[in-house]
Amino acid sequence: MSAFTVRPATTADVRGIHALLEPYVQRRILLGKDLVVLFESTQQFLVAEADGELVGCGALHVMWEDLGEVRTLIVADDWLHHGVGRAIVEGLEDDARTLGLSRLFCLTFEVDFFTARGFEPIGEQVVDPDVYSQLIRSPDEGVAEFLDLAHVKPNTLGNTRMLKKL
């Protein structure tokens, strides 16, 4: 297996990110994202590349002044257990620190992977009421998942809400 590099995504990577995502959407592991949504969030993504091919991706979405979410973390099946996911998460954590974030959220089935990276399962009341009153206004589904709002429950059954302090 050749080496891989992790770098910021470009618009030329978006169709590759979509191709990585699609099998997980088909298996109902991840929610689908339209190409336009992926293009709009290009700057949030890091990609892992080997021999000119995308082998992984992940995004950092800022939710609040101290809080971000790791989203759309995907590693191609052939590259699982080769450090790709770890390298992407470490890159996203570096980006989060650069942005001034001190906490990272994720919603995942991969509890062991994220636990090994310092994330812990969370309950409710993870933000104070003033911040909650602002976050509740966001149309973003990831924010709703973070807040554990009832209207996203059908999409998130079986997932674990996790948080890491940076």
Side-chain angles (χ1 to χ4, degrees):
M1 190 146 284
S2 61
F4 66 89
T5 57
V6 174
R7 61 171 176 76
T10 67
T11 56
D13 296 316
V14 169
R15 292 184 192 281
I17 291 169
H18 189 259
L20 283 171
L21 176 61
E22 204 50 35
Y24 293 92
V25 172
Q26 297 302 319
R27 297 193 313 242
R28 299 180 190 265
I29 294 170
L30 293 173
L31 294 176
K33 289 186 170 52
D34 292 327
L35 275 172
V36 67
V37 172
L38 292 173
F39 277 112
E40 289 173 344
S41 58
T42 301
Q43 71 278 9
Q44 297 179 8
F45 275 89
L46 293 179
V47 294
E49 183 178 40
D51 298 325
E53 179 184 344
L54 291 189
V55 297
C57 66
L60 172 66
H61 180 78
V62 175
M63 298 169 75
W64 197 248
E65 64 188 327
D66 66 335
L67 179 65
E69 179 184 8
V70 172
R71 291 185 171 179
T72 320
L73 181 64
I74 305 167
V75 175
D77 288 343
D78 292 347
W79 284 84
L80 290 172
H81 310 293
H82 288 88
V84 174
R86 179 181 66 241
I88 292 170
V89 170
E90 287 172 356
L92 295 173
E93 288 177 1
D94 289 345
D95 291 350
R97 287 183 190 94
T98 299
L99 290 167
L101 303 179
S102 59
R103 299 183 300 161
L104 280 181
F105 166 74
C106 70
L107 181 73
T108 186
F109 289 111
E110 300 296 333
V111 174
D112 292 343
F113 172 85
F114 281 98
T115 298
R117 281 156 196 83
F119 285 76
E120 297 178 352
I122 55 172
E124 297 179 21
Q125 302 296 327
V126 291
V127 295
D128 68 49
D130 291 339
V131 173
Y132 183 92
S133 71
Q134 294 295 317
L135 287 175
I136 195 93
R137 298 175 186 174
S138 173
D140 187 272
E141 287 295 315
V143 173
E145 291 163 351
F146 173 74
L147 296 175
D148 204 24
L149 299 179
H151 75 272
V152 296
K153 292 293 188 199
N155 296 330
T156 61
L157 292 177
N159 282 331
T160 299
R161 298 163 65 243
M162 301 185 80
L163 193 69
K164 177 178 183 173
K165 292 184 179 167
L166 297 175

